[in-house]
């Protein structure tokens, strides 16, 4: 058992509609509500409490817990594990909705054919008294807590990034290109490329519009931001391991100005919107490698042009004067900008 993702969101309704959707087959008594009066109006109740704190931009937190297929998993045990995790994260008094999805599906947890059970926890970071749980270092804290909870409840433990010092047996491979498990933001304090793109004003709306057209439009939208879409390499340890298991590897996003910043395209997924290659191919058809290469060249050109503008700006004599004499008037720099 482990926590595979913790995702922040501004909307409760979309998350709840996803985890409680009719296609999920969640029946009465197969979920658990904490500090919620009417489950049918859970989103409205959670939004009402969230409105008590105007500084919290993303009050909804989506935690995904996973189990191996061959574990003795029952819904009551899943709900108990969720309650214990909320308590460990300091969220015991917060509004939360724990929803097990009992049908096994493909995932990262070792088990027959890599399939697993999972549970979704939608929690309100805003306490009923108005204070916000910042969820600082939530991913490593959750991973360590889940290892303890798994031992207490008799579940199998899976070695992760933060709880693997003394664990023997099967473990998740260290993340490779496009195979980041969990949240890099929670592990290093630095936002992932996916986090950064989601935060760029209007960018996701541009992507959604482009997605309605074709691959060319979508790839050009990424390229305009200096982001190229490529296939992951086949020579890494993660790639070889996944190939042995017969697991598919999807497309990867890469910052053209900093190739070390890369992450799988599906990292843009939300609970109700999928951006992985499988979902895009289903909608737009297969994407030719030649098309990816052409768009990648455009992205590199955009990144190079942006870098050149930055160098010209820094070398401007008036800017240099402003840097040497911080008290000089800002009008000098504005004049230089107009000249450029």
């Amino acid at each position: 058992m482990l926590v595979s993702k913790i995702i922040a969101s501004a909307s409760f309704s979309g998350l709840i509609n996803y985890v409680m959707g009719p296609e999920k087959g969640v029946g009465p008594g197969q979920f658990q509500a904490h500090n919620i009066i009417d489950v049918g109006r859970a989103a409205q109740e959670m939004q009402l409490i969230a409105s008590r704190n105007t500084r919290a931009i993303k009050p909804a937190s989506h935690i995904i817990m996973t189990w191996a297929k061959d574990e003795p998993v029952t819904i009551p045990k899943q709900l108990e594990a969720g309650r214990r995790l909320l308590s460990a994260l300091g969220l015991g008094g917060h509004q939360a909705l724990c929803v097990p999805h009992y049908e096994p599906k493909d995932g990262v947890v070792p088990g027959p054919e890599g399939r697993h059970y999972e549970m979704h926890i939608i929690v309100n970071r805003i306490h009923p008294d108005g204070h916000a749980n910042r969820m600082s270092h939530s991913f490593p804290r959750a991973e360590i807590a889940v290892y303890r909870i798994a031992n207490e409840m008799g579940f199998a433990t899976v070695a992760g990034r933060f709880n693997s010092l003394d664990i023997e047996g099967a473990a998740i491979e260290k993340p490779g290109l496009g195979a980041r498990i969990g949240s890099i933001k929670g592990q290093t304090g630095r936002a992932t490329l996916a986090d950064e793109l989601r935060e760029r004003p209007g960018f996701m709306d541009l992507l959604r519009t482009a997605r309605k057209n074709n691959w060319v439009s979508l790839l050009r939208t990424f390229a305009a931001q200096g982001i190229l879409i490529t296939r992951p390499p086949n020579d890494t340890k993660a790639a070889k391991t996944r190939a042995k298991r017969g697991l598919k590897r999807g497309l990867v996003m890469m910052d053209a100005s900093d190739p070390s910043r890369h992450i799988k395209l599906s990292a843009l997924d939300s609970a109700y919107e999928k951006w992985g290659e499988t979902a895009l191919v289903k909608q737009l058809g297969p994407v030719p490698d030649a098309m990816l290469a052409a768009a990648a060249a455009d992205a590199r050109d955009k990144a190079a042009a942006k870098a050149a503008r930055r160098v010209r700006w820094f070398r401007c004599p008036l800017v240099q004067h402003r840097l040497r004499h911080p008290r000089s008037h800002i009008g000098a720099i504005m004049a230089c900008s107009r000249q450029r």
Side-chain angles (χ1 to χ4, degrees), residues 206-228:
L206 290 175
L207 282 186
R208 293 183 186 102
T209 299
R211 181 175 177 171
K212 295 176 182 178
N213 299 323
N214 49 44
W215 273 108
V216 173
S217 179
L218 184 61
L219 293 174
R220 283 178 176 172
T221 302
F222 277 108
Q225 298 287 326
I227 303 298
L228 58 94

PDB file of all heavy atoms in Angstrom, residues 206-228:
ATOM      1  N   LEU A 206      -5.790  27.493 -23.665  1.00  0.00           N
ATOM      2  CA  LEU A 206      -5.245  27.434 -25.021  1.00  0.00           C
ATOM      3  C   LEU A 206      -5.075  25.976 -25.461  1.00  0.00           C
ATOM      4  O   LEU A 206      -5.387  25.622 -26.607  1.00  0.00           O
ATOM      5  CB  LEU A 206      -3.900  28.162 -25.082  1.00  0.00           C
ATOM      6  CG  LEU A 206      -3.925  29.684 -24.953  1.00  0.00           C
ATOM      7  CD1 LEU A 206      -2.498  30.234 -24.910  1.00  0.00           C
ATOM      8  CD2 LEU A 206      -4.689  30.308 -26.111  1.00  0.00           C
ATOM      9  N   LEU A 207      -4.595  25.141 -24.550  1.00  0.00           N
ATOM     10  CA  LEU A 207      -4.424  23.732 -24.878  1.00  0.00           C
ATOM     11  C   LEU A 207      -5.763  23.063 -25.187  1.00  0.00           C
ATOM     12  O   LEU A 207      -5.876  22.275 -26.124  1.00  0.00           O
ATOM     13  CB  LEU A 207      -3.749  22.992 -23.719  1.00  0.00           C
ATOM     14  CG  LEU A 207      -2.240  23.151 -23.538  1.00  0.00           C
ATOM     15  CD1 LEU A 207      -1.756  22.233 -22.425  1.00  0.00           C
ATOM     16  CD2 LEU A 207      -1.489  22.849 -24.831  1.00  0.00           C
ATOM     17  N   ARG A 208      -6.762  23.378 -24.389  1.00  0.00           N
ATOM     18  CA  ARG A 208      -8.077  22.758 -24.606  1.00  0.00           C
ATOM     19  C   ARG A 208      -8.644  23.160 -25.964  1.00  0.00           C
ATOM     20  O   ARG A 208      -9.257  22.343 -26.661  1.00  0.00           O
ATOM     21  CB  ARG A 208      -9.031  23.159 -23.484  1.00  0.00           C
ATOM     22  CG  ARG A 208      -8.643  22.582 -22.116  1.00  0.00           C
ATOM     23  CD  ARG A 208      -9.638  22.938 -21.042  1.00  0.00           C
ATOM     24  NE  ARG A 208      -9.163  22.502 -19.732  1.00  0.00           N
ATOM     25  CZ  ARG A 208      -8.620  23.305 -18.822  1.00  0.00           C
ATOM     26  NH1 ARG A 208      -8.511  24.614 -19.067  1.00  0.00           N
ATOM     27  NH2 ARG A 208      -8.208  22.813 -17.669  1.00  0.00           N
ATOM     28  N   THR A 209      -8.454  24.422 -26.347  1.00  0.00           N
ATOM     29  CA  THR A 209      -8.941  24.885 -27.648  1.00  0.00           C
ATOM     30  C   THR A 209      -8.188  24.190 -28.776  1.00  0.00           C
ATOM     31  O   THR A 209      -8.793  23.725 -29.750  1.00  0.00           O
ATOM     32  CB  THR A 209      -8.755  26.410 -27.773  1.00  0.00           C
ATOM     33  OG1 THR A 209      -9.509  27.064 -26.734  1.00  0.00           O
ATOM     34  CG2 THR A 209      -9.235  26.908 -29.124  1.00  0.00           C
ATOM     35  N   ALA A 210      -6.856  24.093 -28.634  1.00  0.00           N
ATOM     36  CA  ALA A 210      -6.043  23.444 -29.671  1.00  0.00           C
ATOM     37  C   ALA A 210      -6.389  21.964 -29.793  1.00  0.00           C
ATOM     38  O   ALA A 210      -6.390  21.403 -30.895  1.00  0.00           O
ATOM     39  CB  ALA A 210      -4.560  23.625 -29.338  1.00  0.00           C
ATOM     40  N   ARG A 211      -6.705  21.349 -28.684  1.00  0.00           N
ATOM     41  CA  ARG A 211      -7.013  19.915 -28.675  1.00  0.00           C
ATOM     42  C   ARG A 211      -8.275  19.611 -29.473  1.00  0.00           C
ATOM     43  O   ARG A 211      -8.439  18.498 -29.985  1.00  0.00           O
ATOM     44  CB  ARG A 211      -7.163  19.447 -27.230  1.00  0.00           C
ATOM     45  CG  ARG A 211      -7.456  17.972 -27.060  1.00  0.00           C
ATOM     46  CD  ARG A 211      -7.457  17.583 -25.603  1.00  0.00           C
ATOM     47  NE  ARG A 211      -7.807  16.189 -25.414  1.00  0.00           N
ATOM     48  CZ  ARG A 211      -7.723  15.540 -24.256  1.00  0.00           C
ATOM     49  NH1 ARG A 211      -7.301  16.183 -23.174  1.00  0.00           N
ATOM     50  NH2 ARG A 211      -8.045  14.273 -24.166  1.00  0.00           N
ATOM     51  N   LYS A 212      -9.140  20.578 -29.618  1.00  0.00           N
ATOM     52  CA  LYS A 212     -10.362  20.371 -30.377  1.00  0.00           C
ATOM     53  C   LYS A 212     -10.087  20.286 -31.876  1.00  0.00           C
ATOM     54  O   LYS A 212     -10.941  19.832 -32.641  1.00  0.00           O
ATOM     55  CB  LYS A 212     -11.361  21.497 -30.107  1.00  0.00           C
ATOM     56  CG  LYS A 212     -11.868  21.539 -28.672  1.00  0.00           C
ATOM     57  CD  LYS A 212     -12.779  22.741 -28.452  1.00  0.00           C
ATOM     58  CE  LYS A 212     -13.257  22.815 -27.014  1.00  0.00           C
ATOM     59  NZ  LYS A 212     -14.109  24.014 -26.765  1.00  0.00           N
ATOM     60  N   ASN A 213      -8.899  20.732 -32.305  1.00  0.00           N
ATOM     61  CA  ASN A 213      -8.567  20.760 -33.733  1.00  0.00           C
ATOM     62  C   ASN A 213      -7.803  19.505 -34.161  1.00  0.00           C
ATOM     63  O   ASN A 213      -8.376  18.565 -34.665  1.00  0.00           O
ATOM     64  CB  ASN A 213      -7.768  22.024 -34.046  1.00  0.00           C
ATOM     65  CG  ASN A 213      -8.561  23.281 -33.749  1.00  0.00           C
ATOM     66  OD1 ASN A 213      -9.766  23.326 -33.964  1.00  0.00           O
ATOM     67  ND2 ASN A 213      -7.900  24.308 -33.243  1.00  0.00           N
ATOM     68  N   ASN A 214      -6.488  19.506 -33.947  1.00  0.00           N
ATOM     69  CA  ASN A 214      -5.665  18.387 -34.392  1.00  0.00           C
ATOM     70  C   ASN A 214      -4.323  18.416 -33.668  1.00  0.00           C
ATOM     71  O   ASN A 214      -4.054  19.303 -32.862  1.00  0.00           O
ATOM     72  CB  ASN A 214      -5.453  18.438 -35.921  1.00  0.00           C
ATOM     73  CG  ASN A 214      -5.009  19.825 -36.366  1.00  0.00           C
ATOM     74  OD1 ASN A 214      -4.142  20.446 -35.739  1.00  0.00           O
ATOM     75  ND2 ASN A 214      -5.612  20.318 -37.438  1.00  0.00           N
ATOM     76  N   TRP A 215      -3.488  17.434 -33.970  1.00  0.00           N
ATOM     77  CA  TRP A 215      -2.178  17.351 -33.330  1.00  0.00           C
ATOM     78  C   TRP A 215      -1.318  18.568 -33.659  1.00  0.00           C
ATOM     79  O   TRP A 215      -0.584  19.069 -32.803  1.00  0.00           O
ATOM     80  CB  TRP A 215      -1.457  16.083 -33.789  1.00  0.00           C
ATOM     81  CG  TRP A 215      -1.760  14.870 -32.994  1.00  0.00           C
ATOM     82  CD1 TRP A 215      -2.505  13.783 -33.371  1.00  0.00           C
ATOM     83  CD2 TRP A 215      -1.327  14.593 -31.650  1.00  0.00           C
ATOM     84  NE1 TRP A 215      -2.567  12.858 -32.364  1.00  0.00           N
ATOM     85  CE2 TRP A 215      -1.846  13.322 -31.296  1.00  0.00           C
ATOM     86  CE3 TRP A 215      -0.554  15.292 -30.727  1.00  0.00           C
ATOM     87  CZ2 TRP A 215      -1.614  12.733 -30.058  1.00  0.00           C
ATOM     88  CZ3 TRP A 215      -0.317  14.711 -29.484  1.00  0.00           C
ATOM     89  CH2 TRP A 215      -0.834  13.457 -29.154  1.00  0.00           C
ATOM     90  N   VAL A 216      -1.381  19.034 -34.895  1.00  0.00           N
ATOM     91  CA  VAL A 216      -0.548  20.181 -35.293  1.00  0.00           C
ATOM     92  C   VAL A 216      -0.852  21.387 -34.409  1.00  0.00           C
ATOM     93  O   VAL A 216       0.052  22.047 -33.892  1.00  0.00           O
ATOM     94  CB  VAL A 216      -0.773  20.527 -36.779  1.00  0.00           C
ATOM     95  CG1 VAL A 216      -0.046  21.819 -37.130  1.00  0.00           C
ATOM     96  CG2 VAL A 216      -0.286  19.388 -37.672  1.00  0.00           C
ATOM     97  N   SER A 217      -2.126  21.676 -34.240  1.00  0.00           N
ATOM     98  CA  SER A 217      -2.529  22.813 -33.417  1.00  0.00           C
ATOM     99  C   SER A 217      -2.063  22.641 -31.974  1.00  0.00           C
ATOM    100  O   SER A 217      -1.562  23.581 -31.349  1.00  0.00           O
ATOM    101  CB  SER A 217      -4.051  22.964 -33.475  1.00  0.00           C
ATOM    102  OG  SER A 217      -4.489  24.033 -32.666  1.00  0.00           O
ATOM    103  N   LEU A 218      -2.199  21.424 -31.443  1.00  0.00           N
ATOM    104  CA  LEU A 218      -1.812  21.165 -30.057  1.00  0.00           C
ATOM    105  C   LEU A 218      -0.301  21.297 -29.872  1.00  0.00           C
ATOM    106  O   LEU A 218       0.170  21.951 -28.924  1.00  0.00           O
ATOM    107  CB  LEU A 218      -2.273  19.769 -29.653  1.00  0.00           C
ATOM    108  CG  LEU A 218      -2.036  19.366 -28.199  1.00  0.00           C
ATOM    109  CD1 LEU A 218      -2.781  20.294 -27.240  1.00  0.00           C
ATOM    110  CD2 LEU A 218      -2.479  17.920 -27.964  1.00  0.00           C
ATOM    111  N   LEU A 219       0.469  20.717 -30.785  1.00  0.00           N
ATOM    112  CA  LEU A 219       1.929  20.777 -30.667  1.00  0.00           C
ATOM    113  C   LEU A 219       2.448  22.199 -30.838  1.00  0.00           C
ATOM    114  O   LEU A 219       3.413  22.602 -30.183  1.00  0.00           O
ATOM    115  CB  LEU A 219       2.564  19.854 -31.704  1.00  0.00           C
ATOM    116  CG  LEU A 219       2.314  18.350 -31.495  1.00  0.00           C
ATOM    117  CD1 LEU A 219       2.856  17.544 -32.659  1.00  0.00           C
ATOM    118  CD2 LEU A 219       2.940  17.875 -30.188  1.00  0.00           C
ATOM    119  N   ARG A 220       1.805  22.974 -31.711  1.00  0.00           N
ATOM    120  CA  ARG A 220       2.211  24.378 -31.893  1.00  0.00           C
ATOM    121  C   ARG A 220       1.938  25.199 -30.634  1.00  0.00           C
ATOM    122  O   ARG A 220       2.689  26.118 -30.302  1.00  0.00           O
ATOM    123  CB  ARG A 220       1.469  24.976 -33.083  1.00  0.00           C
ATOM    124  CG  ARG A 220       2.026  24.550 -34.433  1.00  0.00           C
ATOM    125  CD  ARG A 220       1.213  25.130 -35.579  1.00  0.00           C
ATOM    126  NE  ARG A 220       1.791  24.796 -36.868  1.00  0.00           N
ATOM    127  CZ  ARG A 220       1.204  25.042 -38.036  1.00  0.00           C
ATOM    128  NH1 ARG A 220       0.000  25.635 -38.057  1.00  0.00           N
ATOM    129  NH2 ARG A 220       1.798  24.718 -39.171  1.00  0.00           N
ATOM    130  N   THR A 221       0.860  24.868 -29.937  1.00  0.00           N
ATOM    131  CA  THR A 221       0.544  25.585 -28.702  1.00  0.00           C
ATOM    132  C   THR A 221       1.618  25.320 -27.652  1.00  0.00           C
ATOM    133  O   THR A 221       2.052  26.237 -26.940  1.00  0.00           O
ATOM    134  CB  THR A 221      -0.830  25.153 -28.173  1.00  0.00           C
ATOM    135  OG1 THR A 221      -1.817  25.398 -29.175  1.00  0.00           O
ATOM    136  CG2 THR A 221      -1.202  25.927 -26.913  1.00  0.00           C
ATOM    137  N   PHE A 222       2.059  24.073 -27.542  1.00  0.00           N
ATOM    138  CA  PHE A 222       3.159  23.765 -26.639  1.00  0.00           C
ATOM    139  C   PHE A 222       4.436  24.487 -27.083  1.00  0.00           C
ATOM    140  O   PHE A 222       5.162  25.072 -26.273  1.00  0.00           O
ATOM    141  CB  PHE A 222       3.412  22.259 -26.595  1.00  0.00           C
ATOM    142  CG  PHE A 222       2.522  21.508 -25.658  1.00  0.00           C
ATOM    143  CD1 PHE A 222       1.516  20.689 -26.133  1.00  0.00           C
ATOM    144  CD2 PHE A 222       2.702  21.605 -24.281  1.00  0.00           C
ATOM    145  CE1 PHE A 222       0.691  19.979 -25.266  1.00  0.00           C
ATOM    146  CE2 PHE A 222       1.882  20.901 -23.403  1.00  0.00           C
ATOM    147  CZ  PHE A 222       0.880  20.089 -23.894  1.00  0.00           C
ATOM    148  N   ALA A 223       4.727  24.418 -28.392  1.00  0.00           N
ATOM    149  CA  ALA A 223       5.966  25.007 -28.916  1.00  0.00           C
ATOM    150  C   ALA A 223       6.031  26.501 -28.661  1.00  0.00           C
ATOM    151  O   ALA A 223       7.103  27.058 -28.392  1.00  0.00           O
ATOM    152  CB  ALA A 223       6.079  24.709 -30.412  1.00  0.00           C
ATOM    153  N   ALA A 224       4.872  27.173 -28.752  1.00  0.00           N
ATOM    154  CA  ALA A 224       4.842  28.622 -28.511  1.00  0.00           C
ATOM    155  C   ALA A 224       5.287  28.969 -27.097  1.00  0.00           C
ATOM    156  O   ALA A 224       5.728  30.093 -26.835  1.00  0.00           O
ATOM    157  CB  ALA A 224       3.437  29.160 -28.771  1.00  0.00           C
ATOM    158  N   GLN A 225       5.181  28.017 -26.190  1.00  0.00           N
ATOM    159  CA  GLN A 225       5.618  28.220 -24.801  1.00  0.00           C
ATOM    160  C   GLN A 225       7.020  27.669 -24.573  1.00  0.00           C
ATOM    161  O   GLN A 225       7.489  27.605 -23.431  1.00  0.00           O
ATOM    162  CB  GLN A 225       4.643  27.520 -23.852  1.00  0.00           C
ATOM    163  CG  GLN A 225       3.225  28.046 -23.903  1.00  0.00           C
ATOM    164  CD  GLN A 225       3.090  29.406 -23.258  1.00  0.00           C
ATOM    165  OE1 GLN A 225       3.778  29.698 -22.287  1.00  0.00           O
ATOM    166  NE2 GLN A 225       2.211  30.236 -23.795  1.00  0.00           N
ATOM    167  N   GLY A 226       7.693  27.241 -25.644  1.00  0.00           N
ATOM    168  CA  GLY A 226       9.029  26.688 -25.508  1.00  0.00           C
ATOM    169  C   GLY A 226       9.034  25.281 -24.951  1.00  0.00           C
ATOM    170  O   GLY A 226      10.023  24.824 -24.379  1.00  0.00           O
ATOM    171  N   ILE A 227       7.923  24.553 -25.140  1.00  0.00           N
ATOM    172  CA  ILE A 227       7.801  23.191 -24.635  1.00  0.00           C
ATOM    173  C   ILE A 227       7.708  22.234 -25.819  1.00  0.00           C
ATOM    174  O   ILE A 227       6.894  22.432 -26.724  1.00  0.00           O
ATOM    175  CB  ILE A 227       6.542  23.028 -23.758  1.00  0.00           C
ATOM    176  CG1 ILE A 227       6.575  24.026 -22.594  1.00  0.00           C
ATOM    177  CG2 ILE A 227       6.435  21.596 -23.242  1.00  0.00           C
ATOM    178  CD1 ILE A 227       7.733  23.851 -21.645  1.00  0.00           C
ATOM    179  N   LEU A 228       8.545  21.226 -25.830  1.00  0.00           N
ATOM    180  CA  LEU A 228       8.471  20.234 -26.896  1.00  0.00           C
ATOM    181  C   LEU A 228       7.905  18.927 -26.354  1.00  0.00           C
ATOM    182  O   LEU A 228       8.068  18.599 -25.179  1.00  0.00           O
ATOM    183  CB  LEU A 228       9.836  20.001 -27.539  1.00  0.00           C
ATOM    184  CG  LEU A 228      10.996  19.533 -26.649  1.00  0.00           C
ATOM    185  CD1 LEU A 228      11.097  18.019 -26.679  1.00  0.00           C
ATOM    186  CD2 LEU A 228      12.307  20.141 -27.136  1.00  0.00           C
TER     187      LEU A 228
END
